[in-house]
Amino acid sequence: MKRIFSITLGVLSWAVIVGYLIAASRYCHAQQEQTLCRGLRVKVLDSAERGFITPAMVKNWFAAEQKEFLREPVGKVNTLEVEAFVRRRGFVKTVRAYTSMDGMLNIELTQRKPVLRVNSVNGYDFYVTDDNYILPTQRYYSVYVPVVTGMIVPPFGPDFVGSLDDWSKKGEKKVSENYLFLANLINFVKFVESDGFWSAFWVQINVRDGGSEGRYNPQIELVPRAGDQIVCLGSLDDYRSKLDKLTSFYRNGLAYEGWEACRYINLAYRGQVVCSD
């Protein structure tokens, strides 16, 4: 008898809970249909790490394109459309939009992290992010990252915006070569930025075209943050051992000759460090 009573009580309890949830859901839905959207609340989740997107900036995006959600019932706000609108902004990596019972449209987002900027002599000016996404430079703000200048020929046009990995499957030889160079350049910058000494040492990377007869043969020159020296890395092949060779030269060579003894340091030759004034 006690067992039957216990089972009956349990069933009734669950019935009450389910009924309450259904009623609460209907109530919330009815409230959403009646509550007008009265404002936009934006939260940049990683603002402490990267500060180039602010809540005010996001609100201005909506105002500039007359994306008006105010005075509409919050239940009718298309949050998927809101997310798509925000996501189209280059530096936005992830976005979540939802409405709340207080009548607010809430947007939470994270930002992409630029690792280098390309500003070439042939019209390219864009950022590359840590997830290999190509973004144009922004009019209203800039990001302090290593700058790559000179003759850079990426596998895409100057107006391209999107993932660099989308180009990795292209079959044309020229596109493939340019893609590999840019991918190696990004890996090189990421390696330099992960090293405390080198990240503080370099301020600019310049690319020279050392090819002939239409052949693109990019050569890397590094500009230190201090002094008038230029370091020629040559190609990006085996760049770690070249930097090790440079470290040894600084410690064992310039320590005796003096920092100003050499203005141009060439590491392009295997096993050698060639200096000139």
Side-chain angles (χ1 to χ4, degrees), residues 245-257:
K245 183 168 58 175
L246 180 61
T247 301
S248 177
F249 174 72
Y250 280 151
R251 290 175 178 172
N252 303 315
L254 292 185
Y256 298 100
E257 298 294 332

